[in-house]
Amino acid sequence: MSAAARASAIAESGWAYPVRFFQPQNPAFWVYALLVAGGAFAFYDLARPLAAYPTAAVLSVVLLGVYALPFIWFITHADRFAREPVKLALLGFAWGGLAATWVLAVPGNDAVLSIYAKLVSVDFAASWGPPLTAPLVEESSKYAGLILLFLLARNHVRSAYDGLLLGAFTGLGFQLFEDFEYLTSAVVANFGASQVEDVVSTFVLRGVTGLWSHALYTALAGAGLGYFIGARERSRGHRFAVAAGFLLAAMIIHGSLDAVVATGGWSVALTVVAGTGGIVFAWRFAERRQRTWIGVLLADDVAAGTITADELRALTGRRKDRKAYLKAKPGRRAARHARHVLGAAADLAARIAATDDPLGPDAVAARAELARVRALK
Amino acid sequence: MEAGQLGQRVPVEHRVWGVFDRRYVPALLVVIAVALLWAVVMPAVDEAISQDEIAAGTVTTLTHDVSFSPAPGWVYDGVPVGSQTGVTVFSSGVRFTIQSGRFKGSAEQLLAQVSSHEDDYKVTGDVRSLQTGQNVPGAATQIYGHDFSGALFAFTQDGVGVSAVADGPANLLGRQTRDVAGMIASIRFGGAG
């Protein structure tokens, strides 16, 4: 594989560039910081009265913290190329949980619902208001954060895959902070007389529907935005259409869940089917380019025999290819060893990308580590 | 220079004010526009749309099948959409906030529960008994804050509790006593019927 192809893959992927948050010369940094700080103040204001209900507040935080763990595990585990920096994911989470929720979505939702009630009718606002308000207000609020992440890390947010994962973290932040509000509001609504019961019952309800909630919607929308940013070989019109399509899909799926009152509940089936199908499609769509880059970066090592062709196929193939490769190994011990070898090979690709030097000390050390892991057999 | 540092530099032909990349100005403007739309513009539009005074005979529903009739001429603080946990109405500087929820206990216990979690006002005077127009027994007490006074009401029936607070400057509150009493009397458990 030529050095030019490798350099091109590195440049396209942006994997060589670190993420810096503090960029005082970048207006995007100030917009992000201002709105997230505003969200933090608004959230503090909301949470302050909860000092009167410490049991509910602590229980809510604990339950939501535990609830978040499988999401975080899933998102990071699914990121088998392990390229998304933690710093960027945290920035997305903070935008979703603080700025998007409390600075943009809450006042926006309240205002639009009130306008419906005044201009159309209270009944219309109660039934069709949520599906005609929240998807538009909330999805655009979270999307704005994804655009800011791109402006803060232009050299890193470069693919549908980046957009999908950062969207998932941004949506997760929104979802958890919104859930906190729901859980504690239920306590206040019942005069604080049944704190544990109110928190747990609301948590169960929100937890079940949460599987098809903000993390999923924003992952979908983010995949489209990432494609728009990264697929520069395609026309602007094509990229715009793809990005708009993903955002629209996210809004429709979101709206179908919020239309439960208006439709008598049948739209929830659409949420589950379209949400599941949509995220699987988006994942496959987003992963393609990622797999190609890995293949380019490791091509020389396959030629040199550091990595076998089968290992490269498992590493750059679809998830089922990887599973089939591991399953073909004789026994669980061998499969686990093969999985570790694939992990070390992915690390090697990351080191080559980070330094743009397949023969530099980082790559050499990664190859030595790969050899060590391979010898553990 | 490392790749990371080089990658962050803005090519000279794209620089605005010497530092920012003009190619990304439209994207930043989109973000600012979305933020302004939801945080400033739509709330302002909502505020600008005239809100009619509540008409006589209006019935507002709360959760747990509770309803009440706001006094005619008062104005909602945010139009209630569907069954709300709480609703606030205003008139001439006086505020009336009513909330329904699940509560197993007496009206006196609900009164104590609500006031025990409240930092904005303090309770003063004795607890008095009263009842709604539906003959649901309740309890009431006076409250006072930094620059306002008022009354706290509580009613319970069949595991459902309703609390209400009427407050405002003392000189204005007296003029609305009749309306507040009417709204308290209009509270109904078990639907608007």
Side-chain angles (χ1 to χ4, degrees):
Chain A
M1 186 62 61
S2 74
R6 187 180 65 244
S8 170
I10 293 169
E12 280 183 41
S13 69
W15 291 341
Y17 302 115
V19 174
R20 281 190 304 124
F21 172 59
F22 187 67
Q23 302 173 39
Q25 82 289 359
N26 186 347
F29 164 77
W30 294 106
V31 172
Y32 178 94
L34 187 73
L35 291 173
V36 170
F41 276 116
F43 181 68
Y44 171 74
D45 216 33
L46 176 109
R48 201 162 41 90
L50 295 175
Y53 309 105
T55 307
V58 171
L59 184 60
S60 298
V61 170
V62 170
L63 285 177
L64 291 174
V66 172
Y67 183 69
L69 291 178
F71 277 88
I72 294 170
W73 178 85
F74 179 76
I75 296 168
T76 51
H77 181 72
D79 181 12
R80 58 194 171 117
F81 304 117
R83 295 290 83 81
E84 238 40 71
V86 172
K87 198 189 287 184
L88 211 48
L90 286 176
L91 289 177
F93 186 88
W95 174 271
L98 296 171
T101 317
W102 309 112
V103 181
L104 277 67
V106 166
N109 277 337
D110 288 352
V112 176
L113 275 175
S114 177
I115 291 169
Y116 283 144
K118 289 175 183 174
L119 297 185
V120 187
S121 73
V122 170
D123 285 344
F124 177 82
S127 56
W128 286 103
L132 293 176
T133 304
L136 196 64
V137 175
E138 294 174 4
E139 293 313 315
S140 61
S141 298
K142 292 176 288 176
Y143 208 71
L146 292 180
I147 294 174
L148 279 179
L149 290 187
F150 160 66
L151 293 175
L152 287 169
R154 296 189 303 277
N155 292 316
H156 201 94
V157 184
R158 290 192 165 184
S159 69
Y161 199 70
D162 295 328
L164 186 139
L165 291 174
L166 293 177
F169 276 107
T170 303
L172 184 63
F174 192 102
Q175 189 170 330
L176 292 178
F177 277 76
E178 186 187 52
D179 280 351
F180 181 81
E181 205 256 339
Y182 274 96
L183 264 57
T184 51
S185 289
V187 172
V188 176
N190 290 319
F191 313 105
S194 47
Q195 297 185 32
V196 173
E197 183 186 346
D198 291 334
V199 167
V200 171
S201 60
T202 311
F203 171 75
V204 170
L205 183 68
R206 298 288 301 175
V208 171
T209 54
L211 298 175
W212 294 272
S213 188
H214 290 283
L216 185 150
Y217 312 146
T218 321
L220 271 177
L225 179 66
Y227 183 82
F228 179 82
I229 292 166
R232 293 183 177 277
E233 75 280 6
R234 308 304 294 264
S235 72
R236 180 176 281 263
H238 167 85
R239 289 184 288 142
F240 183 82
V242 170
F246 273 102
L247 180 59
L248 189 64
M251 286 180 173
I252 290 171
I253 295 167
H254 185 168
S256 65
L257 186 65
D258 286 353
V260 63
V261 173
T263 64
W266 66 261
S267 62
V268 176
L270 175 67
T271 313
V272 173
V273 173
T276 308
I279 197 66
V280 169
F281 171 79
W283 208 286
R284 288 187 173 180
F285 172 82
E287 220 184 37
R288 279 184 313 181
R289 181 173 290 240
Q290 212 77 352
R291 290 192 269 118
T292 306
W293 287 333
I294 293 269
V296 171
L297 291 171
L298 294 178
D300 287 347
D301 281 280
V302 174
T306 316
I307 298 165
T308 68
D310 283 348
E311 286 166 351
L312 185 69
R313 266 194 295 278
L315 209 52
T316 60
R318 286 187 169 184
R319 194 163 294 275
K320 67 178 180 184
D321 299 324
R322 179 188 170 93
K323 272 187 181 169
Y325 171 76
L326 294 175
K327 204 172 179 180
K329 296 291 172 190
R332 292 176 63 178
R333 188 182 169 87
R336 191 172 62 216
H337 177 255
R339 197 171 65 243
H340 291 161
V341 170
L342 293 182
D347 285 348
L348 171 60
R351 296 323 304 159
I352 294 171
T355 55
D356 192 12
D357 185 359
L359 301 175
D362 277 20
V364 169
R367 263 185 216 101
E369 176 64 6
L370 174 58
R372 185 191 70 81
V373 171
R374 198 183 286 286
L376 289 176
K377 197 169 189 176
Chain B
M1 184 173 286
E2 290 179 19
Q5 291 171 305
L6 188 63
Q8 296 289 348
R9 296 289 294 272
V10 179
V12 66
E13 72 275 21
H14 296 303
R15 286 181 200 165
V16 180
W17 304 319
V19 288
F20 190 58
D21 195 326
R22 77 172 72 244
R23 291 171 296 179
Y24 303 116
V25 169
L28 188 62
L29 291 179
V30 166
V31 173
I32 293 171
V34 169
L36 286 176
L37 178 66
W38 300 133
V40 179
V41 176
M42 294 313 285
V45 169
D46 177 39
E47 197 71 25
I49 296 173
S50 64
Q51 192 168 325
D52 294 336
E53 293 178 345
I54 296 169
T58 300
V59 176
T60 299
T61 56
L62 300 169
T63 53
H64 300 281
D65 232 8
V66 172
S67 65
F68 84 108
S69 298
W74 287 52
V75 175
Y76 287 118
D77 176 26
V79 181
V81 174
S83 294
Q84 301 279 307
T85 302
V87 170
T88 299
V89 290
F90 284 95
S91 179
S92 306
V94 175
R95 179 175 60 175
F96 180 80
T97 301
I98 183 168
Q99 177 188 338
S100 66
R102 197 176 56 249
F103 188 81
K104 293 170 187 163
S106 66
E108 289 75 15
Q109 287 171 322
L110 177 56
L111 202 70
Q113 175 75 13
V114 172
S115 54
S116 69
H117 287 137
E118 193 52 68
D119 291 333
D120 290 343
Y121 56 75
K122 293 189 184 334
V123 170
T124 180
D126 299 331
V127 174
R128 298 180 187 178
S129 297
L130 75 166
Q131 59 184 26
T132 67
Q134 206 182 15
N135 294 326
V136 175
T141 187
Q142 288 182 300
I143 59 170
Y144 69 96
H146 175 60
D147 54 2
F148 66 88
S149 58
L152 170 64
F153 306 88
F155 303 90
T156 60
Q157 188 178 64
D158 298 333
V160 174
V162 172
S163 72
V165 176
D167 59 4
N171 58 326
L172 300 176
L173 198 60
R175 297 177 200 161
Q176 305 294 340
T177 306
R178 189 185 297 265
D179 281 352
V180 170
M183 288 190 276
I184 291 295
S186 75
I187 296 171
R188 292 188 68 85
F189 288 73

